[in-house]
Amino acid sequence: MISENKIKELVLAKIEGTKLFVVDVKVSPSNNINILIDGYEGVSITDCMNISKDVEHKLDGETQDFELEVSSAGLDAPFLVVEQYQKNLGREVKVYTHDGKKHEGELTHADADKIEITYQEKVRIDGRKKKEQVTQVDEYFFENENSEKKIKDTKVVISFK
């Protein structure tokens, strides 16, 4: 069986110095290879073809039979790597946490440990009768003991405005 690490190394070597990054690599027991890529400036069909050709030429089809598919991460697919969060800074996202709740807002920060989303909320301020719009910032973590702050998955809010 072809190893996922070997495939990932081949793809990383091919995209080094570009604005592309690897999202996921899967190899089934029957050697069906699926490579998912994304880029800070998008992914073209040519990018997928070039990666596919490069990986195909570096694997020995004579000794192992395999099927290869290279595609871009879909717009409606959940984020799998930190680079996807960084690519989408400033966009509206839905964050689903392990407690089953959904949180929406603008993605304003992303690093290896956490993300931050900013949103508007009407709250009652002490001493005032009416609720007022207040900007809130919430942090969510990739690894956390608290299920209401641990990210299950995140997706871009698709808007046609």
Side-chain angles (χ1 to χ4, degrees):
M1 184 169 142
I2 301 169
S3 84
E4 290 178 359
N5 286 339
K6 179 178 180 179
I7 300 299
K8 192 171 184 177
E9 286 174 16
L10 293 173
V11 176
L12 288 172
K14 176 66 178 169
I15 64 175
E16 186 177 357
T18 70
K19 296 198 180 257
L20 299 174
F21 53 88
V22 177
V23 174
D24 196 22
V25 173
K26 289 190 176 140
V27 179
S28 74
S30 59
N31 281 339
N32 288 337
I33 304 166
N34 288 305
I35 302 169
L36 202 57
I37 59 171
D38 203 346
Y40 291 103
E41 296 172 359
V43 177
S44 69
I45 292 172
T46 305
D47 293 330
C48 293
M49 286 179 8
N50 290 339
I51 291 168
S52 178
K53 286 179 184 176
D54 191 68
V55 170
E56 189 174 342
H57 288 346
K58 291 181 178 168
L59 293 176
D60 186 7
E62 299 291 322
T63 58
Q64 285 186 310
D65 212 14
F66 63 89
E67 185 177 313
L68 177 62
E69 179 182 316
V70 180
S71 59
S72 66
L75 186 60
D76 61 339
F79 298 167
L80 299 175
V81 294
V82 174
E83 290 89 348
Q84 287 179 294
Y85 287 91
Q86 293 168 341
K87 170 191 173 183
N88 287 288
L89 286 170
R91 295 190 70 182
E92 289 291 313
V93 294
K94 292 180 203 171
V95 178
Y96 298 90
T97 50
H98 280 271
D99 65 350
K101 293 186 179 166
K102 175 178 79 170
H103 312 272
E104 285 192 46
E106 179 185 343
L107 182 61
T108 53
H109 174 81
D111 63 33
D113 300 318
K114 69 177 181 183
I115 65 169
E116 290 178 359
I117 62 169
T118 303
Y119 59 96
Q120 299 290 316
E121 184 176 45
K122 282 193 171 193
V123 295
R124 188 170 313 279
I125 298 175
D126 290 338
R128 300 202 180 152
K129 290 182 180 182
K130 286 180 80 176
K131 289 183 176 182
E132 292 187 25
Q133 282 285 74
V134 176
T135 300
Q136 305 276 22
V137 178
D138 284 344
E139 294 181 327
Y140 299 96
F141 300 87
F142 297 110
E143 295 298 324
N144 195 320
E145 298 298 317
N146 184 350
S147 66
E148 60 189 46
K149 290 292 185 179
K150 185 174 181 186
I151 300 167
K152 185 174 184 181
D153 71 35
T154 304
K155 295 181 179 182
V156 170
V157 174
I158 300 169
S159 174
F160 297 101
K161 292 181 184 178

